[in-house]
Amino acid sequence: MFANDLLLSAGMPVTLRQLQTYPESRLPPRVQRLQRPRALGRATELAFLRWEKRRLQATERFWRDFGMHIVSASPERVVARGTGTAACVAIAVQGSTDRFIGPAFRMSGDTEFERYVKELGARPLAPESIPGDGRGVELADPSGRSVWLLQGSRPAERLPLREALAPSTNTAHHTPRVNRTVRAPIEPAQVVKLGHFVLQTVDFPRMADWYLRVLGLIPTDVQYLADGSPNLAFCRLDLGNEPADHHTVVLVGGIEEKYEHSAYEVVDLDALGQGQQVLRAQGHRHMWGIGRHVLGSQLFDYWFDPDGFEYEHYTDGDVFTADHETEYSPLEFGGLWAWGDDAPASMKPKKNLRTLLRVLGLLRRKAITRERLKLIGQALDAPARPWD
């Protein structure tokens, strides 16, 4: 770091580098593969996320300004959707705490719920609790978080959505827009669909095994610590020859069981930018962006809801078919983004007494080792950029 400061002050160039990735078939000997268990079934869609909130009206207002369409709102429950074919992307119920309850997934028609009942103790859901129609079961992931698996729901009719402006983008080599201007409407960035969510977990191997087995997910990108052990997995749906988003579920090893953020697709970069203007104008708290991620390639913009939960708008993400090979790369904090402002400090654990007590508790319960804590710390504390 000191040497880089000297180089910068002297006007000398600093070495910049790309994230190094390896296909699973050509891994360095020290890097461990993320094991893929035999799947019990196959998820085909991340349907919606469920919340408990003390202030439903504040959540409803944020969801509107964020670009969701409110399907219904009462003192007991708020239901929101996007412009796509999902009848719902988010549900908030009145409660005594502010918390993320869990996700709901659509499962393939040949998935047998009886296997989940027999092997994991899944319980049938009451039909009236499921937005729209269909049937489902509820089970708990290794942290105790509720996960719903659904079948049989009919797709909703699409809502109006403007055309993307990207096809008319002028570049140095191609100028399709002649005698025309770009005038994106100043409006909330209309949410098209729920794209993904990210969970932090203390026991990464166990949590990854559970989600891959329950949902039949495919790891797209796996990141490993300095000892070669996997500690982060971007996982996509197995849709066969149909392209699937780079990731629908992201799992990262850390020091607590925690919802990190959820992400919602918008139509294009102009929607991302105008959506940022609207959210700023309405007084919501910005977190990070606009920028572009490395793994997944999305253009992104992050916000906090009124209760401090993180939400992401994104567009222009990667998609892959089921036969695309898993890739591996070292876990580095700087690998989160290709360009844009540096990631905020809130994306790392706070170095305070509360965090210290949490870590001591994990060590006392032998939930994590000193060696793994050190490796995670190395990945997070290394300078994200050469000039940091």
Side-chain angles (χ1 to χ4, degrees):
M1 184 173 177
F2 178 69
N4 280 333
D5 290 342
L6 289 178
L7 289 172
L8 287 170
S9 63
M12 297 180 67
V14 173
T15 300
L16 305 178
R17 59 187 176 82
Q18 297 279 3
L19 183 70
Q20 179 66 56
T21 62
Y22 305 93
E24 190 169 64
S25 59
R26 295 196 299 275
L27 280 183
R30 66 182 183 85
V31 178
Q32 304 166 26
R33 286 177 170 81
L34 178 65
Q35 297 301 314
R36 291 181 61 185
R38 183 176 181 181
L40 293 175
R42 184 171 60 89
T44 58
E45 180 185 11
L46 173 57
F48 51 85
L49 303 180
R50 294 170 291 129
W51 306 85
E52 179 182 352
K53 291 298 190 80
R54 290 176 294 178
R55 301 179 299 155
L56 282 184
Q57 286 187 336
T59 295
E60 178 188 347
R61 176 174 175 263
F62 174 78
W63 285 357
R64 288 186 189 275
D65 294 340
F66 193 73
M68 297 183 190
H69 295 259
I70 303 301
V71 176
S72 62
S74 71
E76 292 76 34
R77 188 171 84 156
V78 177
V79 178
R81 61 166 292 184
T83 64
T85 58
C88 167
V89 297
I91 300 175
V93 296
Q94 180 68 49
S96 59
T97 60
D98 298 313
R99 67 185 181 100
F100 174 62
I101 298 174
F105 293 89
R106 307 277 177 208
M107 305 299 290
S108 64
D110 59 353
T111 294
E112 299 175 0
F113 285 165
E114 291 74 16
R115 296 187 66 186
Y116 296 93
V117 173
K118 181 178 179 180
E119 297 188 29
L120 297 175
R123 298 179 294 113
L125 288 170
E128 61 270 17
S129 67
I130 304 172
D133 53 7
R135 67 188 189 98
V137 295
E138 178 182 33
L139 54 163
D141 75 10
S143 71
R145 185 179 296 107
S146 170
V147 177
W148 286 8
L149 308 181
L150 309 175
Q151 281 180 336
S153 299
R154 292 191 301 267
E157 291 189 13
R158 293 183 181 274
L159 298 179
L161 177 70
R162 71 166 174 80
E163 292 294 322
L165 301 176
S168 62
T169 297
N170 284 343
T171 71
H173 304 290
H174 181 56
T175 55
R177 194 178 70 253
V178 178
N179 298 331
R180 292 182 291 130
T181 59
V182 173
R183 297 291 186 269
I186 301 177
E187 62 183 9
Q190 289 181 289
V191 167
V192 178
K193 72 172 186 179
L194 168 60
H196 65 263
F197 68 99
V198 182
L199 299 177
Q200 182 185 152
T201 179
V202 175
D203 192 341
F204 173 81
R206 184 183 180 201
M207 191 70 78
D209 179 85
W210 192 91
Y211 273 94
L212 266 61
R213 183 161 58 102
V214 167
L215 302 174
L217 301 174
I218 301 172
T220 307
D221 275 290
V222 175
Q223 296 199 287
Y224 54 86
L225 298 172
D227 67 347
S229 62
N231 197 64
L232 191 154
F234 294 85
C235 302
R236 69 184 185 275
L237 301 174
D238 180 358
L239 303 182
N241 293 326
E242 179 184 344
D245 289 349
H246 174 273
H247 54 277
T248 295
V249 178
V250 183
L251 304 170
V252 56
I255 61 171
E256 58 183 317
E257 303 299 329
K258 179 185 177 184
Y259 158 93
E260 291 285 354
H261 75 264
S262 50
Y264 305 80
E265 187 174 19
V266 301
V267 68
D268 59 16
L269 177 58
D270 282 278
L272 208 70
Q274 295 288 21
Q276 184 182 100
Q277 286 199 130
V278 170
L279 285 161
R280 287 188 186 278
Q282 297 303 324
H284 299 291
R285 187 158 57 110
H286 188 240
M287 178 185 166
W288 184 31
I290 297 172
R292 187 182 284 278
H293 284 305
V294 176
L295 301 179
S297 303
Q298 305 100 313
L299 294 163
F300 65 79
D301 194 32
Y302 287 75
W303 291 84
F304 292 106
D305 83 351
D307 303 304
F309 293 102
E310 300 171 12
Y311 285 68
E312 176 191 1
H313 279 144
Y314 76 91
T315 190
D316 190 25
D318 295 334
V319 295
F320 298 95
T321 54
D323 58 357
H324 179 78
E325 188 174 10
T326 302
E327 303 225 336
Y328 289 71
S329 59
L331 179 58
E332 301 173 353
F333 189 65
L336 283 175
W337 73 103
W339 56 259
D341 291 339
D342 285 359
S346 63
M347 297 191 78
K348 297 182 181 182
K350 294 181 180 179
K351 295 183 178 181
N352 55 22
L353 179 59
R354 184 177 180 180
T355 300
L356 176 60
L357 292 175
R358 177 182 292 118
V359 168
L360 291 175
L362 293 173
L363 291 171
R364 190 177 302 113
R365 300 195 310 270
K366 297 183 179 180
I368 197 167
T369 64
R370 293 180 182 273
E371 291 75 16
R372 194 160 191 86
L373 278 173
K374 183 178 179 180
L375 291 168
I376 293 173
Q378 288 175 349
L380 294 179
D381 291 340
R385 296 292 189 262
W387 51 85
D388 286 343

